[in-house]
Amino acid sequence: MGKKIAFIFLFVAVAWVARSQNYTIKGSVTDSITGEPLPYVAVLLKGTTIGGTTDLDGNFEISTSSRVRTLQISYLGYSTKELEFVPGKATGLKIELAPTSINLTEVLVKPTKEKYSKKDNPAVIFIKNAIERRESNDPRNHDYFRYDQYEKMVFAMNDYQPKPKKEGKTGKFDFLVDFIDTLEVGKTILPVSEREKLQTVYYRKDPKTEKQVVKATKAAGVDEVFSRDGIQQFLNEVFREVDIFQNDIPLFLNRFVSPMSTMGPNFYRYYLLDTLEVDGQKCVDLGFAPFTPETFGFTGHLYITLDSTFFVQRVKLNVPKKINLNFVGGMTIEQTFNRAPDGTRIITKDDIIVDFKLTEKSKGMYARRLNIYSNQAFEAPEDSTIFEESAPVIIPVEAYRRSEDFWAENRPEEAGARKQNSVEKLMEKLRSIPIFYVTEKIVTVLTSGYIPTNKVEEKSKFEFGPMNTYISGNAIEGARFRVGGTTTTAFSKRLFLDGYVAYGTKDREWKYDGLVEYSFIDKKDYRKEFPVHSLRLEYSYDINQLGQQYMYTNKDNMFLALKRQKDTRATYLRKAELTYYREHYNGWAYGAVLRNFKEYSTGYAAFDRIGADGQITPTDSYRMSEIEFKLRFAPNEKFYQTRNYRYPITLDAPVFTLNHTMAFQNVLGSTYDYQKTEFGIQKRFWFSAFGYVDILAKAGKVWTKAPYPLLILPNANLSYLVQPESYTNMNAMEFINDEYASWDITYFMNGALLNRIPLIKKLKWREVFSFRGMFGHLTDKNNPFIEGQNNDGLYRFPEGSYVMDPSTPYMEVGVGIENIFKFLRLDYVWRLTYKDHPGIQTRGVRFMMKLSF
């Protein structure tokens, strides 16, 4: 027994001694010029194979008992560095690697910390020459251009490691180990979403047209809970194909300044670093970094041929570590180009890798979007009718049904072999586990707002919703309860039924809405999905909140129930509508609405009719039958599609709208003659590194004599939320006009000012400035306050409603900060004019919750 105890003590002592000889080496590796972390740098103990590589943040950690006391750090394009260290005191190493210096035109340029100057700088002269020639080798200078494109998009859990289990124990998700993938750099990931697409792109210069013909496409993963086309549209904008030969590069729904931009020399520092061969061509390695690392620019390298053409052979872009960009822990973009015999630039690969992180310490998500281009040609296609197709993206039905053999035959070798354990199989296994299956269904309901009536979502013919309207409230109805639903494409791809019933506890009135819509084209997911070409019949009875409109949500959204004042300006409206509407891929849309309605007065919006003799007669209701014509032009519009709404992703292209409504007295029961016209234009203007401005302008006029419910009631926002196209500090029905011109200007500076303030810039806040207003006028024919004229048929204005001075617009301004905690926006808004009206709010704080990059 004593021998056993002695043996145990000896074993422990040996283990303790062995452990005491181990030590840890930790540190980070950065670029000596830009200060950016360098990923995948080889860090080894000199003369051994002990070591590893840095992660995306440039950090490394080595645990060893070796007696070697010298680290060797090496990275392609940088001078190898050796560093002596002391064991136990090497846990905070900060290593800077210097790009290789070169001798170019007898000027030796080395990466030093001397003051940077643009004047007579050979690197600046070099990039200016390259910028001047960027248009000369554009492939779209040819009359025709076509190529094949393979796109693969992968999202994965970063550095995934399964939790260790006690011996003999098993877990429900043990199978995840079989789906772990190892990248070339030794990093482990767990893919949770994968998308692939094969297509041919056709371009014609005159008339300018571009078409994408999709040969095969498929997607699988946890993002299936979102709209298929909607999420694809969103990802296409977030991960736009990078064109460095433009001034601005759209990425992450922002605009980055390209290193090849005409303003590049005023935005970037450029450095001549090295000469090397790239695909057999002698090139200059031109490094660059923005003057202000928090702005929307890149660090990286341009490999440009050392000849008179200044041809860009290869590109490597990174985002600065300090950039004011949310959720992006690191990003690398690599592009390669070939030169055609006539000198045309042909891109062969566009590869973007992003490390997404919610917080600095989280492992986050790994994302990669790989584009591989091949079979470029400049002659006209054999079938030129491809350019006559209306849709910019043509997806035949068979593209969704390609076999694995087809993919294996057509997938480029560079994309890698298809893994046996694919994301499709991962999702099958996950859905076989009850807790995941239930969780996925709950998330689907929360994101879509609808509850399916079949366990298999694709077979659900009817769904209840939207969920955010089941309970709400307002001053007229008190607590409002509503239940409704809609049929789906499982019921019919062309015929849709939709409706709801609602009840208010205060007014004790039942409200309802019923809709039948027939689409002339098959729908994939939703009846409102683009393009719409349908005939719709709708009948409803509900309250009508005068002077309150909601652009991107329901009027009875439970989150709008909290108001800054009572929303009593309301009537009851019984309405029947027959609508024809059609949208085209070229951006044009048009339609007509035949509408019959009867509007009932309330104690808060009385219809006190003025007679020919000036006498006031209380009126219960009036009736109208009218026809409305709609015209809209929104070329290249990008939006995220849900079941009921389209949320704009970008507003780069202008959106024009024109509506005209008409009715004739005594025709189909109309009480009044009525003519009304409205016109609007909306556009986003980018200022490159200095953010963007959203501008919305509208104008309208009621041409005929009409009571106040048919006149122009400015859109008042009575909630505490920031609402688009509404006035924050205006009361509902405070102003009544029959002609107006309005503007709404919001400037998002993306931190252009706050990024320059010490300490504050670490918060990554961003400035928002808003200025909105309206010129309004009420012509004499519709002004019941003018005595001595024939006011027959007009209604007396409710108390608290005013006529605007045509020379004095209503105006309000706001100053805000967005990106607080990465999701919150706070605005302080104050009113500039008509401040003497009783019962108004002249200033206040408004908020919005929005996640953005």
Side-chain angles (χ1 to χ4, degrees), residues 564-632:
R564 57 183 173 85
Q565 63 174 221
K566 286 187 176 181
D567 52 342
T568 56
R569 298 293 198 184
T571 60
Y572 289 91
L573 188 67
R574 189 180 304 278
K575 181 174 62 176
E577 287 185 339
L578 180 64
T579 304
Y580 172 80
Y581 197 69
R582 184 170 189 178
E583 296 175 320
H584 294 271
Y585 288 103
N586 59 11
W588 285 101
Y590 48 84
V593 183
L594 184 60
R595 182 183 300 117
N596 177 274
F597 67 88
K598 188 175 184 180
E599 189 164 16
Y600 300 88
S601 65
T602 65
Y604 304 102
F607 295 167
D608 293 331
R609 180 173 178 138
I610 303 173
D613 55 359
Q615 293 296 314
I616 305 297
T617 305
T619 303
D620 176 67
S621 63
Y622 72 96
R623 183 187 296 274
M624 294 292 291
S625 292
E626 59 188 28
I627 185 169
E628 179 181 5
F629 298 98
K630 299 182 177 183
L631 183 65
R632 189 173 188 268

Side-chain angles (χ1 to χ4, degrees), residues 258-308:
S258 169
M260 295 286 291
S261 168
T262 52
M263 70 172 292
N266 296 317
F267 185 85
Y268 287 101
R269 293 184 175 94
Y270 295 93
Y271 302 90
L272 296 171
L273 302 178
D274 198 0
T275 55
L276 66 164
E277 282 200 359
V278 179
D279 296 332
Q281 295 287 328
K282 191 173 183 180
C283 294
V284 170
D285 179 0
L286 186 71
F288 53 89
F291 285 103
T292 305
E294 291 84 6
T295 53
F296 281 79
F298 299 99
T299 62
H301 303 264
L302 294 170
Y303 300 93
I304 303 175
T305 56
L306 196 57
D307 57 25
S308 60

Side-chain angles (χ1 to χ4, degrees), residues 441-455:
K441 293 300 180 184
I442 292 174
V443 173
T444 301
V445 170
L446 292 176
T447 54
S448 70
Y450 284 80
I451 302 175
T453 54
N454 192 300
K455 291 183 179 180

Side-chain angles (χ1 to χ4, degrees), residues 47-66:
T48 74
T49 58
I50 301 171
T53 60
T54 59
D55 60 19
L56 281 172
D57 295 322
N59 299 317
F60 68 89
E61 181 175 343
I62 302 170
S63 181
T64 182
S65 59
S66 173

Side-chain angles (χ1 to χ4, degrees), residues 354-384:
V354 185
D355 184 27
F356 289 111
K357 289 186 176 182
L358 285 175
T359 64
E360 287 293 329
K361 295 183 179 180
S362 65
K363 292 182 179 180
M365 296 288 293
Y366 165 91
R368 184 186 187 189
R369 191 225 57 208
L370 173 66
N371 278 320
I372 297 174
Y373 308 88
S374 59
N375 301 324
Q376 292 87 351
F378 299 103
E379 63 268 8
E382 293 181 2
D383 183 9
S384 60

Side-chain angles (χ1 to χ4, degrees), residues 32-34 96 101 107-123 269-273 291:
S32 65
I33 294 177
T34 67
E96 294 184 347
S101 60
V107 178
L108 186 64
V109 182
K110 294 185 178 181
T112 65
K113 295 187 177 180
E114 62 187 25
K115 184 178 180 181
Y116 180 86
S117 175
K118 294 186 292 183
K119 187 177 181 181
D120 298 326
N121 187 330
R269 293 184 175 94
Y270 295 93
Y271 302 90
L272 296 171
L273 302 178
F291 285 103

Side-chain angles (χ1 to χ4, degrees), residues 609-610 619 621-625 662-667 669-675 704-707 710 792-795:
R609 180 173 178 138
I610 303 173
T619 303
S621 63
Y622 72 96
R623 183 187 296 274
M624 294 292 291
S625 292
M662 64 175 65
F664 302 97
Q665 190 173 17
N666 298 324
V667 175
S670 287
T671 309
Y672 299 94
D673 281 324
Y674 188 63
Q675 301 284 335
T704 53
K705 184 177 179 181
L710 295 176
D792 184 27
L794 299 183
Y795 294 165

Side-chain angles (χ1 to χ4, degrees), residues 180-192:
I180 293 176
D181 199 359
T182 303
L183 304 177
E184 294 178 0
V185 295
K187 182 177 181 178
T188 58
I189 60 173
L190 178 66
V192 294

